[in-house]
Amino acid sequence: GRPARHTHRRARNANMDVSLTYANQLKGLLAKADGKDKFIALLQYAAMFASAGEPGAFLAAQKSLSAARKPFRVFKPVEFLMPLVERPPKGKGLGACLAYVKAVGMALYVGADHVVWAASAGIFADENAKARGDFFQKLSLWSWFAASVASVLTQTSDLTKALDEMSALKEDVEEDDGGKKSKNDDSKKAAKKDRLDAQRAAAANARAHMRAVVTSGAQALLALALLDKTPLSKRHVGALGVAVSLANCAALAPARKSKTE
């Protein structure tokens, strides 16, 4: 009957809204050079998962997709190093050391990978080209591992601070709930609302740091796996790469807009 048709129409409209939302997010992701790089990385690791390291169409696709990422990373070494030049880390403690390791490690990761590509493209046509390519491939992956570990340590420290802030705000809110209530005390209500908003913001901040810790840890494991330093099979490495790439794409994609915006 008519109610059923209306229900189906509403369901179709809801599905269309969801599809358009994800399409807009994908469009926003692919509008950035980093977004294109991470999305192609997702396809690259999906091809690795499908090929399981065996010769064939999927392995050929994996290599082609890996080469396709290079144009989006040409200036990345400079981008990673510029913050060190413009705003050098303050102090000489562990935090400053980790900032240098992360930035230099990521610059070497991408820069050495450019040399690997040049060697594979035949730009180095001497007898040591293959050995040079293998050396820079290992340097690239070890640098990625070092930068990822530095990021894990940095984000873990930030996560601890965010959790401490959450605990302090929660205690403030609980004290408000347990205190004496007076009539028409608008100032106390406003103060409590501000603290609840701050608590929610701190919780969101903690979740973001937690995601960063997990993603950076997975990247460190992926680097070791690509170096053949783990017992993971090529299919498992591909699956791990897909998971890391999905996390990176989600972090770069624009936030979904609500209908009220």
Side-chain angles (χ1 to χ4, degrees), residues 76-188:
K76 290 302 289 183
V78 177
E79 288 182 27
F80 285 126
L81 293 176
M82 281 305 295
L84 295 182
V85 177
E86 295 174 346
R87 296 180 301 278
K90 297 179 181 179
K92 298 181 180 179
L94 180 61
C97 180
L98 291 174
Y100 279 108
V101 170
K102 181 180 177 182
V104 174
M106 290 302 295
L108 279 173
Y109 161 56
V110 180
D113 192 51
H114 290 340
V115 180
V116 174
W117 173 82
S120 65
I123 294 176
F124 304 128
D126 58 81
E127 59 184 10
N128 297 321
K130 186 178 185 305
R132 188 183 295 113
D134 291 342
F135 170 78
F136 279 99
Q137 180 71 76
K138 290 180 181 179
L139 176 61
S140 174
L141 292 172
W142 277 118
S143 298
W144 191 27
F145 171 76
S148 297
V149 171
S151 181
V152 168
L153 295 174
T154 301
Q155 293 292 342
T156 300
S157 175
D158 292 339
L159 175 61
T160 301
K161 293 175 184 176
L163 291 174
D164 289 342
E165 183 183 359
M166 278 180 59
S167 298
L169 288 168
K170 184 178 180 181
E171 288 176 4
D172 290 343
V173 172
E174 288 175 351
E175 286 177 5
D176 287 344
D177 290 339
K180 293 181 179 179
K181 298 180 180 179
S182 57
K183 295 181 179 179
N184 301 321
D185 198 346
D186 293 336
S187 61
K188 282 191 175 182

